[in-house]
Amino acid sequence: MQNVDLFFLLLGAVLVLAMHAGFAFLELGTVRHKNQVNALSKILTDFAISAIAYFFVGYYIAYGLHFFHAGTTLVADHGYNLMRCFFLLTFAAAIPAIISGGIAERANMKAQALATLFLVALIYPFFEGLVWNGNFGLQAWLEQTFGAAFHDFAGSVVVHAMGGWIALAAVMLLGARHGRYKHDGRVSAHPPSSIPFLALGSWILIVGWFGFNVMSAQRVDAISGLVAINSLMAMIGGTLSANFVGKNDPGFLHNGPLAGLVAICAGSDIVHPIGALGIGIVAGVIFVKLFTYTQNKLRIDDVLGVWPLHGVCGVFGGIAVGIFGQQWLGGLGGVALMSQIIGSMLAVVIALVGGFIVYGTLKTMMGLRLSQEDEFRGADLSIHKISANSEDSMF
């Protein structure tokens, strides 16, 4: 059975690893042509740094386990702990991948690489350990006080809300792209460079997400078809509502399913499929409305809308478990609304504090963004000295 569990985790790890290609193509399709190479390069670089940070430091902080052992110890139980680390580090690497979409087109790549190192080694695993390993007694206190611990099966809050709210701190410290907001109040449009690539990124994420959610069980005997159908229903709900509210805008259409999937992660193992559909529908509306409000009214230049998509929809998903997970709404029960609120709000606080500390320190020490000239030329030529294709003039 141990070998079966290992193979199960391997499939999950590979599916979530593939999601990073989705992050890359979603960003590539959304940014302007002159920043496409940089979008691809950031995601792969950040994943590599995340793997180092989590393997050597983050996994130990979250679970108290390390790999500074003899080889014979490492392969005990066929190396199940090593495989579990591989699976979970693909989750951890989603934090900088989420942030990357918010700070696109003007971020200093070296500063972002350092931020990734600290976030994945320290900030993210601290909260991960609180929720998924019971560190520091938070879960025990919530259960004793409110009758149930904070429930986040696959990371609506632990992964997505954390990434989205850290991204908000980074975007605010970074500032808007030059020329995005005019002095007379007008907002300069920066249309996506490639709707096909944007759609491809969305589809890769959708497919990989079933590994993200279903295989969060981590063992074959804990797998549940409920998680799969709930993920599907939430994805469908987010797609339809975002397309309707977004008036057939393809950007909203292809981010709608992601909003639904973000929101359902937390309760995918306990809510009723009809409840999952409702959660997805609401999440799709939240994304469209809040993305528009953030960009046009708050004038926060979050390029891919990662704060509304991951940050706000993630918190909504965490809190929604406390409602739709109740037995009187067809859920399996075992959840408490107050525990869900406290756990979700704690994530927001830790993410914002950690984000402002990490990015604020880097801003003071080395700066966070490209020069105005480099930003105008585009990150592709300024950083990588090459464009996405031979037509260098296509900006």
Side-chain angles (χ1 to χ4, degrees), residues 164-165 167-168 290 294 298 300 302 304-313:
W165 286 88
L168 177 63
L290 196 54
T294 300
L298 298 181
I300 295 175
D302 177 357
L304 268 67
V306 298
W307 175 62
L309 180 64
H310 297 274
V312 179
C313 287

Side-chain angles (χ1 to χ4, degrees), residues 117-379:
L117 183 67
F118 290 112
L119 292 170
V120 178
L122 303 173
I123 307 300
Y124 167 76
F126 172 74
F127 187 70
E128 178 189 14
L130 285 179
V131 176
W132 286 343
N133 198 47
N135 294 353
F136 301 105
L138 171 66
Q139 293 286 44
W141 176 78
L142 289 172
E143 185 171 5
Q144 182 179 7
T145 306
F146 302 107
F150 175 64
H151 187 92
D152 187 1
F153 179 70
S156 286
V157 177
V158 174
V159 179
H160 296 286
M162 283 288 291
W165 286 88
I166 292 173
L168 177 63
V171 168
M172 292 177 69
L173 287 169
L174 193 64
R177 288 167 288 180
H178 289 292
R180 175 65 169 152
Y181 300 111
K182 307 296 184 180
H183 294 298
D184 60 4
R186 290 181 297 119
V187 179
S188 177
H190 291 332
S193 60
S194 174
I195 296 299
F197 276 138
L198 187 158
L200 175 63
S202 175
W203 271 110
I204 294 172
L205 284 166
I206 288 168
V207 173
W209 221 297
F210 286 87
F212 196 98
N213 284 2
V214 176
M215 293 175 178
S216 284
Q218 298 188 33
R219 292 187 181 275
V220 172
D221 59 5
I223 194 171
S224 171
L226 182 64
V227 178
I229 198 65
N230 280 344
S231 300
L232 180 66
M233 296 301 283
M235 183 271 285
I236 291 168
T239 301
L240 294 176
S241 64
N243 192 43
F244 178 76
V245 177
K247 300 178 181 179
N248 297 314
D249 182 294
F252 289 140
L253 169 63
H254 288 94
N255 277 283
L258 309 184
L261 285 163
V262 165
I264 198 56
C265 287
S268 56
D269 62 326
I270 62 171
V271 305
H272 190 279
I274 297 176
L277 179 63
I279 289 172
I281 289 171
V282 174
V285 174
I286 288 174
F287 171 71
V288 174
K289 294 294 187 182
L290 196 54
F291 178 86
T292 304
Y293 184 76
T294 300
Q295 297 285 332
N296 298 333
K297 300 298 182 182
L298 298 181
R299 300 169 75 86
I300 295 175
D301 193 14
D302 177 357
V303 180
L304 268 67
V306 298
W307 175 62
L309 180 64
H310 297 274
V312 179
C313 287
V315 168
F316 164 67
I319 295 173
V321 181
I323 301 171
F324 290 94
Q326 302 292 343
Q327 290 184 343
W328 63 275
L329 280 175
L332 301 184
V335 290
L337 180 58
M338 278 305 301
S339 293
Q340 296 306 121
I341 293 173
I342 291 172
S344 299
M345 292 302 103
L346 181 61
V348 172
V349 172
I350 291 173
L352 284 176
V353 171
F356 275 112
I357 289 174
V358 170
Y359 283 100
T361 301
L362 290 171
K363 182 176 182 178
T364 300
M365 294 179 62
M366 60 185 300
L368 292 177
R369 62 184 298 160
L370 299 173
S371 68
Q372 186 170 352
E373 180 181 354
D374 285 344
E375 183 183 333
F376 177 78
R377 294 178 68 222

